[in-house]
Amino acid sequence: MAEGFAKIIGAGKIEVTSSGLESSRVHPTAIQVMSEIGIDITDQTSNPLGEFNAEDYDAVISLCGCGVNLPEAWVLREVFEDWQLDDPDGKPIETFHRVRDEIKARVETLVESLK
């Protein structure tokens, strides 16, 4: 969801890449709640972090408190934020809606700060 918002809100201002400690799929309910607000994330992927070089990035955002598991090079980027968000997996759709809206607000703040 963060990648979807960042690509829309940051269009023409930032480049966006999404990864995880491991490769993963986009949750079907995340796809659903984003489509409800007109953002299609069906083609997004989360590639393993090992496919990327920390030096290529100025800003790194970790979701759901996963930042403690990142290699030091990622945490030491110019901007590093570890967003403490609930993981909505396995939770009711209302949790997905709440987390989606929290992510949108954080992405808006982030993009504004990167100008």
Side-chain angles (χ1 to χ4, degrees), residues 23-112:
S23 180
S24 65
R25 65 181 174 84
V26 176
H27 197 287
T29 308
I31 293 170
Q32 176 186 337
V33 300
M34 291 297 282
S35 71
E36 291 172 2
I37 59 169
I39 299 175
D40 181 6
I41 62 171
T42 55
D43 292 332
Q44 288 182 191
T45 61
S46 181
N47 297 334
L49 190 61
E51 292 183 8
F52 304 96
N53 294 311
E55 298 77 26
D56 295 335
Y57 297 88
D58 297 319
V60 174
I61 308 303
S62 175
L63 302 178
C64 303
C66 297
V68 297
N69 299 316
L70 290 175
E72 185 178 26
W74 291 97
V75 178
L76 296 177
R77 301 317 312 146
E78 184 176 332
V79 174
F80 175 79
E81 296 181 15
D82 194 1
W83 294 352
Q84 301 293 318
L85 300 165
D86 290 334
D87 183 350
D89 188 25
K91 307 243 174 37
I93 195 164
E94 294 80 17
T95 303
F96 277 86
H97 287 134
R98 180 179 51 77
V99 171
R100 175 199 65 196
D101 296 344
E102 290 173 10
I103 290 171
K104 180 182 181 192
R106 288 178 184 241
V107 168
E108 288 171 336
T109 300
L110 175 68
V111 170
E112 184 65 29

